[in-house]
């Protein structure tokens, strides 16, 4: 960023008709203040290519006027140094994602336990399991709610404002987490129906957190570290998954210690102690705590400057809010804001031809890549316990009691989260503003394909005694490159590349496509992963294509996702208005 003239010097040489004309308020500043504000308001333009390298260039003549009209408050936000309010926003938004991940993934830790408690069959050589339709509903109903919430709250966030609906999603999550753990009934069917009902609405609240958290963090961040800040919010998902496993370990271990029981093979009825019914309820209820603890701080956050300015068009309010946040004197620019927001290039709708021409390919890219990624990601994540059992890492169910099985499943999932999931998220945080979103996404899809093919091609070898650890390492790397890859970038990019008035909506649509992929993956994997031999399938399931062929199928999804990644533009190092085109008039309008 180079500075050749102070504001005062530039004003002497600047004609009044210049688009860079300096206001009287600015000329009253000291020479030192002039230099600071010039650094903020006159950054040297650059382009960012696919590889993330910055190349300086002079903007085209047709766009220089448009770039000059950028609002002072938005330019100040883009150029702001990392401050305390950035970290506050990361924690407040991130705790929502911590809760989201905990609530979504903890159900996979207790489904085996639910089967033993509510679907025991006398005389069966194996413990009870959830029937296929019940298992699909329990595992997948929250995703259906999430998909609905992403679309609804994404739209509502653009209509009413990010802050106004941000607290509502949190309260839904708190209430439904508590209600899920308190699901009672006179029969197994009524308990499962009540559980599914509340998990749907839990997912509805979680769905709202996706577009709102991403959009809020995107609009608060500066352009230099925006990717890292959004990624840090999303990275809390890794800690949520890990926390779910750790909570399940502690609860199941405590109950196992105080209520010892024989294995199922020794005593089918006695292997599931009555107190086991409390275990799954406590695990689900604890998910309400982190959400409840952050509610107050969400309500204290001001509305984002970009919504207040570009959507609500309230120059006075945005100047007041951001002066407090940035601790700078922000000028009210109502006339400039009115011109900015009334340009014909800045008022098209979601279903307009202009949106289709400008952002149609981008929306196609964000939706398809997220859809394909989540097919692979969630089918593995939700059913890790089945894969671990298949390779012998978790003993046969009949050799354990109910609480011991829950403990071992939680331990296995926690190990994968600790070694593969959590590090991947934070590698993204560290490198996304260095190498760019596109590079990370392409790398992630490529490596996921390679490791899944490695698992599938040598599946028989991995199942033989002595090679189980190798399978776990390979499996862990697929999660590492999912999170240091498309699982993070598909969340980040939709919050950057669309106009402010449609940003939350488009992120919600992209996220909903991802959850549709999660539904396909979680429901489909239940059936596809079944053994082709009817005698070896789980009780109640038809023969499938097996785990090996399912892994081949998931690798194919990654290849297609890699191809669609080329539809998504690189957003590294650029302002949101520059990326979305809001700061640029079309040449025929200039």
């Amino acid at each position: 960023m180079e500075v050749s003239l102070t504001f005062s010097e530039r004003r002497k040489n600047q004609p009044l008709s210049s688009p860079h004309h300096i206001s009287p308020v600015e000329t009253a500043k000291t020479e030192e203040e002039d230099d600071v504000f010039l650094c903020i308001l006159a950054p040297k333009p650059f382009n960012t290519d696919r590889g993330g390298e910055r190349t300086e260039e002079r903007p085209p003549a047709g766009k220089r006027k448009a770039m000059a009209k950028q609002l002072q408050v938005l330019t100040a936000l883009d150029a702001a140094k990392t401050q305390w309010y950035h970290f506050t926003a990361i924690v407040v938004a991130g705790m929502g994602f911590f809760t989201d991940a905990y609530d979504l993934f903890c159900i996979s830790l207790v489904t085996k336990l639910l089967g033993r408690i509510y679907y025991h069959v006398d005389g069966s050589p194996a413990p009870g399991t959830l029937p296929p339709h019940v298992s699909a509903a329990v595992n997948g109903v929250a995703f259906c709610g999430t998909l609905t919430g992403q679309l609804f709250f994404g739209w509502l966030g653009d209509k009413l404002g990010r802050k106004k609906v941000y607290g509502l999603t949190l309260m839904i999550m708190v209430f439904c987490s508590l209600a899920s753990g308190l699901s009672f009934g006179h029969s197994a069917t009524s308990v499962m129906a009540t559980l599914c009902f509340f998990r749907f609405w839990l997912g509805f609240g979680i769905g709202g957190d996706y577009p709102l958290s991403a959009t809020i963090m995107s609009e608060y961040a500066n352009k230099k570290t925006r990717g890292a800040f959004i990624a840090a919010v999303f990275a809390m998902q890794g800690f949520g998954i890990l926390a779910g496993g750790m909570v399940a370990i502690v609860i199941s271990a405590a109950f196992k210690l105080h209520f010892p029981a024989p294995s199922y093979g020794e005593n089918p009825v006695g292997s599931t102690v009555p107190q086991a019914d409390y275990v799954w309820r406590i695990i689900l209820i604890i998910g309400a705590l982190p959400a409840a603890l952050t509610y107050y701080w969400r309500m204290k956050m001001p509305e984002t400057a970009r919504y207040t300015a570009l959507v609500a068009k309230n120059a006075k309010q945005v100047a007041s809010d951001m002066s407090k946040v940035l601790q700078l004197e922000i000028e009210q620019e109502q006339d400039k804001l009115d011109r900015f927001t009334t340009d014909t290039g800045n008022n098209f709708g979601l279903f307009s031809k202009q949106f289709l021409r400008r952002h149609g390919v981008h929306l196609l890219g964000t939706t398809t890549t997220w859809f394909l990624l989540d097919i692979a990601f969630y089918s593995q994540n939700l059913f890790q316990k089945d894969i671990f059992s298949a390779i012998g890492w978790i003993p046969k169910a009949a050799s354990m009691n109910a609480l011991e099985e829950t403990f071992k499943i939680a331990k296995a999932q926690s190990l994968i989260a600790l070694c593969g999931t959590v590090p991947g998220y934070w590698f993204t945080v560290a490198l996304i503003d260095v190498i760019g979103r596109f590079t990370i996404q392409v790398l992630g899809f490529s490596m996921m394909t390679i490791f899944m093919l490695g698992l599938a091609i040598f599946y028989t070898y991995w199942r033989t005694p002595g090679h189980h650890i190798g399978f776990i390492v390979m499996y862990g790397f697929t999660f590492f490159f999912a999170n240091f890859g498309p699982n993070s970038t598909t969340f980040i990019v939709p919050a950057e590349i669309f106009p402010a008035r449609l940003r939350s909506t488009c992120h919600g649509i992209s996220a909903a496509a991802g959850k549709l992929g999660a539904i396909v993956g979680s429901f489909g994997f239940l059936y596809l992963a079944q053994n082709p031999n009817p005698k070896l399938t789980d009780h109640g399931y038809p023969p499938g294509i097996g785990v090996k062929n399912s892994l081949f199928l998931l690798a194919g999804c990654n290849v297609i996702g890699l191809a669609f990644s080329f539809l998504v533009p690189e957003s590294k190092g650029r302002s949101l208005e520059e990326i979305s085109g809001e700061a640029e008039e079309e040449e025929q309008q200039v």
Side-chain angles (χ1 to χ4, degrees):
M1 193 175 295
E2 298 179 358
V3 179
S4 57
L5 297 173
T6 66
F7 261 120
S8 301
E9 290 170 334
R10 289 183 68 239
R11 189 171 187 271
K12 294 175 184 177
N13 300 307
Q14 194 77 268
L16 293 177
S17 59
S18 167
H20 293 283
H21 172 60
I22 309 304
S23 70
V25 174
E26 289 165 334
T27 59
K29 301 201 173 280
T30 64
E31 288 294 314
E32 181 179 357
E33 290 174 321
D34 284 347
D35 288 339
V36 171
F37 275 92
L38 182 56
C39 290
I40 294 176
L41 294 175
K44 192 168 184 178
F46 60 86
N47 275 348
T48 306
D49 62 16
R50 287 291 193 188
E53 295 296 326
R54 296 183 178 184
T55 56
E56 298 177 0
E57 70 167 18
R58 181 174 176 81
K63 293 182 178 180
R64 285 199 291 271
K65 176 182 173 184
M67 292 175 68
K69 72 176 184 177
Q70 176 78 313
L71 298 172
Q72 179 194 357
V73 64
L74 303 186
T75 310
L77 277 171
D78 283 337
K81 294 181 179 180
T82 300
Q83 300 178 37
W84 180 249
Y85 79 89
H86 287 123
F87 294 108
T88 302
I90 289 171
V91 172
V92 172
M95 287 308 293
F97 263 90
F98 178 96
T99 306
D100 296 349
Y102 181 100
D103 289 334
L104 283 178
F105 294 112
C106 70
I107 194 66
S108 66
L109 301 169
V110 300
T111 49
K112 294 280 191 182
L113 181 60
L114 292 172
R116 285 187 182 242
I117 295 171
Y118 294 105
Y119 292 91
H120 171 72
V121 178
D122 290 330
S124 172
T129 58
L130 296 179
H133 64 285
V134 175
S135 181
V138 169
N139 281 302
V141 70
F143 292 140
C144 297
T146 303
L147 187 155
T148 308
Q150 286 164 337
L151 293 173
F152 177 73
F153 285 111
W155 169 79
L156 203 62
D158 283 333
K159 292 298 179 182
L160 300 182
R162 293 44 160 142
K163 179 185 175 181
K164 285 185 179 179
V165 292
Y166 205 27
L168 176 60
T169 63
L170 207 62
M171 292 310 298
I172 293 173
M173 289 159 57
V174 171
F175 174 77
C176 292
S177 291
L178 295 172
S180 295
L182 300 175
S183 300
F184 293 102
H186 296 292
S187 64
T189 301
S190 61
V191 172
M192 293 300 108
T194 307
L195 176 62
C196 288
F197 174 81
F198 286 116
R199 282 196 63 80
F200 174 86
W201 290 107
L202 172 64
F204 186 71
I206 290 172
D209 231 40
Y210 275 74
L212 294 173
S213 290
T215 301
I216 285 171
M217 197 64 246
S218 173
E219 294 180 346
Y220 262 113
N222 61 59
K223 65 182 180 181
K224 182 179 179 181
T225 57
R226 184 179 60 241
F229 288 165
I230 305 173
V233 170
F234 194 61
M236 294 301 290
Q237 190 177 76
F239 288 125
I241 296 171
L242 180 60
M246 297 303 294
V247 167
I249 287 172
V250 171
I251 300 299
S252 59
F255 273 77
K256 186 173 69 169
L257 179 65
H258 288 86
F259 305 102
S263 68
Y264 183 87
E266 296 171 340
N267 185 342
V269 176
S271 66
T272 305
V273 296
Q275 292 81 5
D277 192 52
Y278 294 114
V279 172
W280 70 270
R281 297 179 185 277
I282 293 172
I283 291 172
L284 297 186
I285 286 174
I286 287 176
L289 292 179
L293 292 173
T294 56
Y295 178 79
Y296 170 79
W297 297 106
R298 280 201 179 188
M299 294 298 94
K300 292 285 288 182
M301 292 177 68
E303 181 59 86
T304 70
R306 286 180 162 89
Y307 182 86
T308 306
L310 303 181
V311 184
K313 305 176 185 179
N314 189 334
K316 181 179 180 180
Q317 186 64 49
V318 72
S320 173
D321 288 345
M322 291 304 105
S323 292
K324 296 174 184 176
V325 169
L326 296 173
Q327 298 181 343
L328 287 173
E329 186 67 31
I330 303 293
E331 181 184 355
Q332 295 181 30
E333 303 174 289
Q334 190 64 55
D335 291 342
K336 192 174 183 181
L337 177 60
D338 290 340
R339 294 195 302 272
F340 190 98
T341 56
T342 54
D343 283 339
T344 57
N346 283 333
N347 57 20
F348 54 85
L350 179 65
F351 300 104
S352 66
K353 291 182 179 179
Q354 198 167 359
F355 176 87
L356 183 64
R357 178 169 58 83
R358 283 193 179 189
H359 300 290
V361 171
H362 300 161
L363 187 59
L364 176 64
T366 58
T367 53
T368 51
T369 52
W370 206 337
F371 171 78
L372 292 162
L373 176 276
D374 273 8
I375 290 178
F377 184 78
Y378 280 90
S379 62
Q380 291 183 101
N381 223 331
L382 280 172
F383 303 103
Q384 288 176 1
K385 59 185 182 300
D386 298 307
I387 295 174
F388 292 150
S389 297
I391 65 169
W393 214 48
I394 295 177
K396 295 290 185 181
S399 67
M400 300 180 286
N401 62 45
L403 295 175
E404 185 179 4
E405 184 179 38
T406 302
F407 176 84
K408 289 186 179 294
I409 290 170
K411 185 172 71 172
Q413 294 206 34
S414 297
L415 183 61
I416 289 294
L418 185 62
C419 298
T421 304
V422 172
Y425 284 115
W426 291 98
F427 264 72
T428 301
V429 173
L431 296 176
I432 192 165
D433 288 313
V434 178
I435 63 177
R437 288 76 162 146
F438 177 79
T439 301
I440 290 177
Q441 182 157 315
V442 168
L443 174 66
F445 270 128
S446 300
M447 298 306 293
M448 287 175 68
T449 303
I450 291 171
F451 282 111
M452 284 187 180
L453 288 176
L455 290 171
I457 293 170
F458 303 105
Y459 184 70
T460 304
Y461 171 81
W462 296 124
R463 293 193 63 183
T464 57
H467 301 132
H468 297 156
I469 298 300
F471 184 97
I472 298 301
V473 171
M474 295 275 287
Y475 189 66
F477 271 116
T478 65
F479 277 99
F480 175 83
F481 282 105
N483 295 311
F484 179 47
N487 193 42
S488 295
T489 55
T490 53
F491 174 82
I492 295 166
V493 173
E496 299 181 305
I497 64 176
F498 298 106
R501 66 190 177 283
L502 300 172
R503 185 169 292 134
S504 180
T505 301
C506 290
H507 194 285
I509 292 171
S510 302
K515 279 300 166 283
L516 182 61
I519 293 169
V520 171
S522 58
F523 278 81
F525 197 81
L526 276 169
Y527 295 89
L528 287 174
Q530 294 297 316
N531 198 295
N533 186 342
K535 295 181 180 180
L536 299 178
T537 61
D538 291 340
H539 178 71
Y541 286 88
I545 63 175
V547 175
K548 177 178 180 178
N549 291 327
S550 295
L551 287 168
F552 276 118
L553 191 61
L554 296 178
C557 290
N558 292 329
V559 172
I560 301 172
L562 173 63
F564 276 99
S565 296
F566 287 86
L567 300 181
V568 182
E570 177 59 76
S571 52
K572 169 180 170 285
R574 303 162 66 193
S575 74
L576 296 179
E577 289 68 43
E578 181 186 353
I579 301 164
S580 65
E582 288 171 289
E584 297 177 358
E585 297 173 354
E586 296 180 345
E587 290 194 20
Q588 61 266 28
Q589 295 172 322
V590 175

